[in-house]
Amino acid sequence: MAHKFLPNSDVTITKTMLNKLGLTDAEQLYSDVPKDVTLKRPLDIPSALSEIELEKLLTQKLGRNKSYPEYLSFLGGGCWVHHIPSVVDEVLSRGEFYTAYTPYQPEISQGMLQAMFEYQSQICELTGMEASNSSMYDWGTALGEAGRMAQRVTHRNRILVARNASPERTAILKTYCIPAGMHVEIVDFDGVTGNLDLGFLASKMNDQVAAVYFENPNFLGIIEEFAVDIVEKAHACGALAIVGIDPATLGVMKPPGEYGADIVVGDGQPIGVYPNLGGPLIGIFATRMDPLLLRQMPGRLIGLTSEKADPSRQGFVMVLQTREQHIRREHATSNICTNEALFAVAVSIFLATMGPKGMKELGEHMIAKSHYAQQRMKEEGLEAPFFSGKYFGELSVRTKMDGAQLAKNLGEQGILGGLPLGRFYPDFEMVSLFSFNETHSKEDVDRLVSALKATTS
Amino acid sequence: MNDLSHPGRIGYSLPQIPEDLFTVVGDLSKLIPNSMTRSTDLKLPEMSEPEVLRHYVRLSQMNFAIDVGMYPLGSCTMKYNPKVSQRIARNPNIANLHPYQDEGTIQGILSILYDLEKMLCEITGMDAFSLQPAAGAQGEYVGTLIIRNYLKDQKLDQKDEVLVPDSAHGTNPASAAMAGFKVIKIPSSQAGIVSAETVRGLVSDRTAGMMLTVPNTLGIFESEIAQVTKIVHEAGGLMYYDGANMNALLGRVRPGDMGFDIVHLNVHKTFATPHGGGGPGAGPVGVISKLADYLPIPTISNSDGRYRLDYDKPRSIGPIKSFYGNTAVLLRAYCYILSLGGEGLKVASEQAVLASNYLLSLLDKEFYNPTIPRGIHAKHEFVVSSSPLKRKSGVLAGDVAKAILDQGMHAPTTYFPLIVNEGLMIEPTETETLESIEAYGDTLNSIARNSLVEKDRVISSPHNAAIGRLDEAKASHPNTIILSWKQVKSSQTN
């Protein structure tokens, strides 16, 4: 068979090549493979589809999904539908970027290396940190790696995690840290405000704590107003402070580097990457420029250097590779190799188009829409917000209905959301989380409010 | 990029927040606590849209890729990335799907993922698959955690050693160590394989398992694999198949039939999904039935044509990444498999092996010494040692790699596997034409010949790239390391 992806699959070309090797049949290439491990039947996989057939089939299959913009979406909780500037799509569709491998040959990979360096630089500006790696898989695994890094840095085994941090990410943290002999312990939050319980945290702190992890805004959408105190409590015991962030908030919110974070993790998805059912995403991982932290950092780092022959010419290379698996093997800081490089480029382009003003405006949209929704919901007699703490773009609402049922009912009206908190917190099964941003018009919010009222009354 | 910034320029357009909305909510700054409001300027560059586009297009032009030319980077399977998959993946019914949507609204994609799991089971001879791992290395971590938890349940906690060949990828020992195992190195035999005899001497009641790449990183099929798996199984260990080199074996040899218990596949290698300059990829993991309960949560189940995400798996190793895996990458793998069909997959592997042997046959053995024993055919890749060239001219494998770049082609993987001196690991893949394979062989041979007459030019290459060789020692030195533009700026002001 000749196939369009296989230029030598035409019989005469294949024959020519085989003959040059002194062979007559491709089977002979496998003469060293023992017969008892060879598959003696064809694979039970359908025959090849033409491009037309493939696209028809996939369009039909994918057509069974419901998605934005056909549906309004108010879902958040770690992955968000945001607007993605057309320039991002345009550049990301360039084969020079998306069909490259890891930049092992820097001289012909300066484009990717510089874009990743720009990404690292922009993440540092946004988070107030000094050293960002060039990406992890996602926020959850970035957190997992941060936990293990805290153990290597402090030689301690306890990690304290806020209960109002994403329960899914906390579960991933456990998958990463428990095999390393660590103990993941939960710090409760104030059920009224939604803020971390500082007294509870204080009672758990001792000299065995490697790190304290909290998110800001937290998973309930609430801003941790007293983040400085949380960080101070961690530092007073010699523990690291790991802070999880949504980068879309950081044009308005104080960057964690300014309140003492040692490691910042988060997801770059909301600033330039489509949700894609939650993957691929792009994990943010940034620390301070402390040699002790840098040496223990996971993931690929890009550095600026100069040409050997002419030091006036600048260029970019992968640095501190002696931390990584291909050199250190079982002693590496992480096993990560493939990461999310292409999305580092996406985030970098996103931030380049937004600049400081755009990032501030983006945050303002989130605040304005969520608070407008709250006022409108309150007017309609809905319990919003459910948590009394200050919130950013995500609003907690309690109705008389189980959150999962509520989402189903809204789905029938062409609305995706809210996120049922009962899924993670059995004690809040009537509470849902609605997320707002620049993609929502005032009318969209009004439509949600009417649908909510109609459904729950 | 900072040099392009001009205060006041903008590259975005967002809707105006309606005035009447402000009358409802009031002053936004009062809604955010002062303690958590940004007080310092965000120092991002200020650029217009055309400038942003040109900046990144210019960067793309300084980047080599499979769409640009031949990329025979050994062990990375840089084959052509089908464009139809790219177009399909732009469908809003995948791109805009939110992971927390009600299951009823994502039945289409769940059915695709479910079918893909079944196809990967058929391709590998496994009984169950998880599509969750984000990359090969994460698949390995999942696999070694499964070994750990399974043995724990069997009350075999004393089993704490994982055998890994000296020719393995670095991720193997790194993953095993992350899962808490002690790594035992298996020395390769003279013939470049893991011999049953060596393994017999290394297994004990502490053996938890073995990780193996087949064909191995020398491109040699592990011909004693059946005996090796038997020995490890008799010692109570599990066999882990690193699928990095599966591109040699599609439709012909299945890891399950060789006796492996756990498999990961690199879809960004074998199944032609683009590697994105480093990622995203995906590293699905398959297991035999007795290990199915240990796969990460959630799994996808199907009853009466309705697909569900199942979290209720008490033996599961837990979730290993956010949500459900790199869906958009997996979708492309699905499209690739359907584009080739069952028969086409087998042809693709055959063609990959043919291309690799053809290229090997072209190389001048006076300079490049094959590591594969006589009489055996390399699989999808091969390794040569350029030690003869080094002896004759002083030119190193790394120099050869740089000289290739000047010819508009990517270099092989160099100095890997670690057991080969002056190693060049070459994997042309099935999507390169006969003509480009011949051109690559000619290039390697002429670089070797030139090394004898103009060594200085070879060891100072590349000459036609965006930049010459860089000072990597300076780049990583604690006193000179620079990781951001911010750091450049602050060092200039100091």
Side-chain angles (χ1 to χ4, degrees), chain B residues 3 11 28 120 142 177 220 255 262 271 303 310 338 347 437 449 483:
Chain B
D3 299 341
L28 297 188
L120 297 182
V142 165
I220 305 174
I262 310 174
F271 299 103
S303 57
D310 197 351
L338 292 181
V347 175
I437 294 168
R449 285 192 298 270
L483 298 173

Side-chain angles (χ1 to χ4, degrees), chain A residues 118-418:
Chain A
E118 312 266 26
Y119 163 84
Q120 291 178 180
S121 301
Q122 290 161 315
I123 292 298
C124 287
E125 295 294 348
L126 209 51
T127 57
M129 303 302 281
E130 293 153 336
S132 160
N133 75 13
S134 65
S135 73
M136 307 300 286
Y137 306 135
D138 59 26
W139 188 347
T141 60
L143 172 60
E145 294 274 13
R148 292 183 78 115
M149 174 171 153
Q151 181 192 40
R152 294 192 297 272
V153 170
T154 63
H155 305 290
R156 298 171 178 187
N157 286 329
R158 294 178 64 210
I159 178 160
L160 304 184
V161 180
R163 186 169 174 249
N164 58 14
S166 156
E168 283 207 23
R169 287 190 280 278
T170 303
I172 297 163
L173 176 73
K174 287 180 180 167
T175 310
Y176 269 74
C177 291
I178 292 173
M182 297 185 77
H183 306 281
V184 178
E185 299 167 42
I186 305 298
V187 178
D188 212 345
F189 61 86
D190 181 326
V192 176
T193 63
N195 280 119
L196 189 75
D197 185 334
L198 287 171
F200 196 114
L201 175 66
S203 74
K204 301 275 274 184
M205 293 304 304
N206 66 16
D207 62 2
Q208 286 310 302
V209 177
V212 174
Y213 174 65
F214 67 100
E215 296 175 354
N216 202 8
N218 63 40
F219 185 70
L220 309 172
I222 306 299
I223 297 167
E224 291 292 357
E225 223 170 308
F226 303 104
V228 184
D229 303 274
I230 304 173
V231 171
E232 273 175 7
K233 281 195 168 55
H235 286 171
C237 290
L240 301 184
I242 306 172
V243 183
I245 50 95
D246 165 5
T249 64
L250 289 177
V252 173
M253 270 186 70
K254 189 184 277 297
E258 289 181 18
Y259 51 86
D262 300 292
I263 303 175
V264 171
V265 294
D267 215 302
Q269 181 275 327
I271 52 171
V273 178
Y274 289 93
N276 284 319
L277 196 69
L281 308 167
I282 167 174
I284 291 171
F285 195 108
T287 72
R288 292 186 281 103
M289 201 72 184
D290 173 337
L292 182 62
L293 296 177
L294 273 188
R295 265 202 306 276
Q296 294 300 340
M297 202 166 168
R300 206 166 279 146
L301 287 163
I302 311 304
L304 177 68
T305 185
S306 51
E307 206 181 58
K308 271 186 189 159
D310 176 1
S312 71
R313 298 191 69 199
Q314 290 189 325
F316 303 88
V317 287
M318 300 196 276
V319 298
L320 299 181
Q321 293 190 60
T322 49
R323 300 163 300 121
E324 294 186 64
Q325 47 77 26
H326 59 284
I327 297 188
R328 285 293 293 283
R329 300 178 78 84
E330 62 265 36
H331 305 294
T333 56
S334 166
N335 68 343
I336 193 167
C337 183
T338 285
N339 52 25
E340 310 296 325
L342 188 67
F343 293 165
V345 182
V347 167
S348 176
I349 301 165
F350 182 95
L351 290 171
T353 63
M354 296 299 277
K357 285 196 199 75
M359 286 307 288
K360 183 158 183 278
E361 252 178 64
L362 174 62
E364 286 170 350
H365 272 275
M366 295 162 74
I367 301 166
K369 309 280 173 60
S370 63
H371 286 79
Y372 171 72
Q374 182 269 328
Q375 287 287 337
R376 292 278 294 106
M377 288 182 194
K378 208 171 140 196
E379 282 164 29
E380 300 293 352
L382 292 156
E383 194 178 341
F386 173 72
F387 296 108
S388 67
K390 303 245 186 194
Y391 54 96
F392 198 92
E394 304 208 74
L395 174 63
S396 54
V397 183
R398 182 160 75 176
T399 70
K400 296 186 200 85
M401 196 179 285
D402 172 89
Q405 187 59 47
L406 179 68
K408 263 196 182 64
N409 293 358
L410 290 174
E412 283 159 17
Q413 299 174 64
I415 293 172
L416 301 172

Side-chain angles (χ1 to χ4, degrees), chain A residues 30 39 41 44 55 66-67 79 94 100 105 108 118 175 250 252 258 277 305-307 339-340 348 361, chain B residues 12 38 40 56 60 64 83 87 93 97-98 101 122 141 248 252 277-278 280 319 402 468 471 474 485:
Chain A
Y30 291 89
L39 185 68
R41 59 168 176 84
D44 183 15
E55 286 198 285
K66 306 291 175 216
S67 63
C79 186
R94 291 189 72 92
Q105 296 292 342
I108 54 165
E118 312 266 26
T175 310
L250 289 177
V252 173
E258 289 181 18
L277 196 69
T305 185
S306 51
E307 206 181 58
N339 52 25
E340 310 296 325
S348 176
E361 252 178 64
Chain B
Y12 69 97
R38 180 180 273 278
T40 49
Y56 288 94
S60 77
F64 193 84
K83 302 307 156 193
R87 189 155 70 188
N93 270 330
L97 291 184
H98 192 284
Q101 283 183 216
E122 167 65 6
Y141 183 53
R252 186 174 293 272
K402 298 299 179 197
D471 189 341
K474 174 183 161 191
W485 289 126

Side-chain angles (χ1 to χ4, degrees), chain A residues 20-21, chain B residues 356-365 382:
Chain A
K20 275 213 180 166
L21 296 172
Chain B
S356 146
N357 282 285
Y358 191 81
L359 180 48
L360 175 58
S361 77
L362 300 175
L363 298 189
D364 191 337
K365 309 301 181 288
F382 63 87

